[in-house]
Amino acid sequence: MNAYVARVIDYVKTKHANEPEFCQTVEEVFSSISPVIDAHPEYEKVDLLTRMVEPERMFTFRVVWCDDAGQWHTNIGYRCQFNGAIGPYKGGLRFQPNVTPSVIKFLGFEQTFKNSLTGLPMGGGKGGSDFDPTGKSDAEIMRFCQSFMTALYRYIGPDVDVPAGDMGVGGREIGYMYGQYRRLKGVWENGVLTGKGFTYGGSKTRPEATGYGAVYYLQEVLAHEGESIEGKTIAISGFGNVAWGICQKALHLGAKVVTLSGPDGYIYDPEGVSSSQEKVDFMLKMQASRRNKVQDYADKFGVQFFPGEKPWGVKADVIMPSAMQNDVRMESAEKIVANGIKYYIEVANMPTTNDALAYMMAQPNMIVAPSKAVNAGGVAVSGLEMSQNSERLVWSAEEVDEKLKGIMKTIHAMSVEAAEEYGLGYNLVAGANIAGFKKVATAMMEQGCF
Ligand code: 2IT
């Protein structure tokens, strides 16, 4: 590895030893870009990499809300405006009890390179709260979202920072937050948030975009190998928005998603969750119930439920982890390899530990695709939503879907090209990191690297 890259990775691991997820993502991305640093000694001259690992701005705020029983609660809100070199900060808000500064920083860092890959003018940001939406009433969610936005609204804007959803934040939460933003600012600036409802500027296809984009990317990978998606079995984790989009697209294309998972375990449906619209629609009901239990699917459709287990021992053609970070560790990677699975397509942000990722990438018969490319369709359609809002126009679902397909195709092609340029072969992980990095690095250099 390039000595400068190694020094910066060591620096981050020492300086931020208490932020394990952040250190993990920096190590993963920077190891990949080592050949670019070899080829560009000017980056070391200005110590560009150390600037890149420090967010431009990151802050916390107090979020106080009252539950239905009249009890007051205080949560921590976060926003990390990681890198604004190529556009306004852009990235989701995550509401989940395990949100920490490290989690927000790793997501913001990943988002910077992901957004760059989309080809759209968006910088990287991320935010959220340690608030737990599980079991909360609609009124409690509304009060929390209003309080959250009251604290945040001064620091965002259509040309400043544009939040969206992530885990625990969907259309309903974005609606409450947008309503509060509008009330506080007294302006119609719907470009301030993406993932909005269709009646006030939301883009068609945004709810489906992450899952659809992931399947479009998978199709590019399969085409590269001379294969087609029809009839393929896919094991996924999670049952949230992303998993739902994958199942919906799999239903359209005749692929079979055989697993879903939640904090309680996983379900195995040999006929496929994607075998009927009723099953795919049921996923939305499970989410809306806020019970956070995937067992509900097994009870409803009479399939097997494996309490407390992950689905990674299942035999399938394709694995798509779609739940959360570090879902696939070494012991799961060993099962995936032992099962002879060829396609490992990350979907959730950083779903694989670095050792497990390296182990699978080293398998001669495996193709590994990285989340920052595979899940970029979500934020890409957010970018399209921003364009529609600023132009005051509305594109049809077909128009957005066509653009999304084109973007996913381009991301795959750019990754292939970037890896080839550095003699790395069909290495989608390195290719995505290199392609995403190059644009941000060039913009930072041209702007004087502030
Ligand atoms: O991880 C992600 O890319 C997102 N949660 C979507 C971000 C966005 O701004 O649409």
Side-chain angles (χ1 to χ4, degrees):
M1 190 190 300
N2 176 286
Y4 169 54
V5 172
R7 272 204 312 283
V8 177
I9 292 174
D10 275 348
Y11 158 79
V12 172
K13 284 174 146 175
T14 310
K15 183 92 185 167
H16 300 289
N18 58 340
E19 298 180 332
E21 292 87 358
F22 179 56
C23 293
Q24 184 183 335
T25 192
V26 169
E27 183 162 32
E28 194 272 313
V29 173
F30 280 5
S31 321
S32 285
I33 54 128
S34 186
V36 186
I37 304 300
D38 286 339
H40 290 273
E42 70 273 21
Y43 293 165
E44 181 177 354
K45 284 213 179 85
V46 298
D47 195 13
L48 183 74
L49 296 184
T50 310
R51 296 172 195 210
M52 267 194 179
V53 295
E54 199 56 54
E56 289 182 15
R57 197 171 298 100
M58 177 160 171
F59 47 90
T60 66
F61 46 92
R62 182 168 71 204
V63 187
V64 180
W65 59 283
C66 189
D67 70 22
D68 292 343
Q71 280 274 321
W72 288 92
H73 301 268
T74 302
N75 284 100
I76 309 172
Y78 298 91
R79 189 70 185 165
C80 174
Q81 299 177 333
F82 215 114
N83 193 308
I86 65 173
Y89 310 108
K90 178 83 197 88
L93 298 170
R94 176 177 291 192
F95 292 172
Q96 205 181 51
N98 68 4
V99 162
T100 60
S102 172
V103 166
I104 296 297
K105 268 176 83 173
F106 111 69
L107 289 165
F109 188 74
E110 280 282 288
Q111 197 81 45
T112 300
F113 303 106
K114 181 200 307 191
N115 292 3
S116 163
L117 277 176
T118 66
L120 301 171
M122 300 182 289
K126 205 83 192 192
S129 173
D130 59 355
F131 172 75
D132 185 0
T134 310
K136 299 293 185 296
S137 73
D138 195 54
E140 288 169 335
I141 297 283
M142 184 196 280
R143 286 194 294 275
F144 179 82
C145 289
Q146 289 174 339
S147 187
F148 186 92
M149 185 51 88
T150 302
L152 185 62
Y153 85 100
R154 288 170 205 277
Y155 309 105
I156 60 176
D159 296 317
V160 180
D161 181 358
V162 183
D166 194 86
M167 295 163 73
V169 179
R172 160 174 29 195
E173 290 75 15
I174 293 292
Y176 294 148
M177 285 192 267
Y178 180 64
Q180 185 71 351
Y181 181 87
R182 196 167 63 78
R183 184 154 36 191
L184 290 166
K185 280 207 97 174
V187 291
W188 181 262
E189 279 179 352
N190 63 357
V192 69
L193 291 174
T194 62
K196 299 179 293 294
F198 301 138
T199 55
Y200 58 98
S203 175
K204 293 279 160 52
T205 317
R206 178 64 190 91
E208 298 88 346
T210 311
Y212 279 22
V215 175
Y216 295 151
Y217 187 97
L218 169 63
Q219 285 185 291
E220 293 302 310
V221 174
L222 291 169
H224 182 271
E225 298 301 297
E227 294 190 53
S228 130
I229 194 164
E230 212 186 325
K232 289 275 183 302
T233 53
I234 306 176
I236 73 175
S237 58
F239 68 93
N241 167 265
V242 176
W244 165 74
I246 292 173
C247 290
Q248 184 65 72
K249 188 45 75 180
L251 171 62
H252 296 162
L253 298 174
K256 208 192 268 187
V257 178
V258 290
T259 59
L260 298 176
S261 78
D264 53 333
Y266 82 91
I267 63 96
Y268 181 72
D269 183 345
E271 277 180 11
V273 178
S274 53
S275 62
S276 79
Q277 193 61 52
E278 187 198 358
K279 287 178 172 177
V280 177
D281 290 346
F282 187 72
M283 292 176 73
L284 295 176
K285 288 195 192 130
M286 287 201 294
Q287 286 164 37
S289 79
R290 293 193 184 279
R291 284 164 46 79
N292 210 11
K293 285 195 164 42
V294 79
Q295 187 179 359
D296 292 355
Y297 182 97
D299 293 345
K300 167 89 179 165
F301 296 108
V303 301
Q304 266 186 297
F305 172 62
F306 298 85
E309 283 187 50
K310 288 175 183 292
W312 309 131
V314 164
K315 286 203 161 87
D317 298 313
V318 183
I319 298 278
M320 297 179 95
S322 312
M324 60 156 76
Q325 66 271 13
N326 294 331
D327 188 12
V328 179
R329 296 170 181 273
M330 203 54 184
E331 66 270 17
S332 300
E334 279 166 358
K335 287 184 195 162
I336 293 168
V337 169
N339 277 336
I341 293 168
K342 179 169 177 188
Y343 299 102
Y344 181 78
I345 310 292
E346 292 189 333
V347 188
N349 292 309
M350 201 171 72
T352 322
T353 58
N354 285 354
D355 57 345
L357 188 69
Y359 173 64
M360 288 188 281
M361 285 174 69
Q363 304 301 318
N365 301 323
M366 257 181 111
I367 293 180
V368 176
S371 56
K372 71 170 66 63
V374 179
N375 75 26
V379 72
V381 173
S382 277
L384 301 179
E385 184 169 330
M386 290 164 71
S387 302
Q388 292 169 81
N389 293 159
S390 68
E391 298 275 319
R392 298 271 188 269
L393 48 77
V394 177
W395 294 333
S396 69
E398 291 72 28
E399 280 175 285
V400 176
D401 196 39
E402 268 318 297
K403 289 185 167 65
L404 171 61
K405 267 186 206 150
I407 290 169
M408 297 316 297
K409 214 179 172 60
T410 306
I411 291 174
H412 177 262
M414 275 167 58
S415 305
V416 172
E417 201 176 299
E420 274 169 6
E421 186 187 337
Y422 289 94
L424 300 169
Y426 189 57
N427 183 336
L428 297 170
V429 174
N433 282 328
I434 291 171
F437 172 84
K438 271 175 138 179
K439 185 172 163 191
V440 178
T442 306
M444 286 177 77
M445 294 297 282
E446 289 181 3
Q447 291 174 36
C449 307
F450 63 83

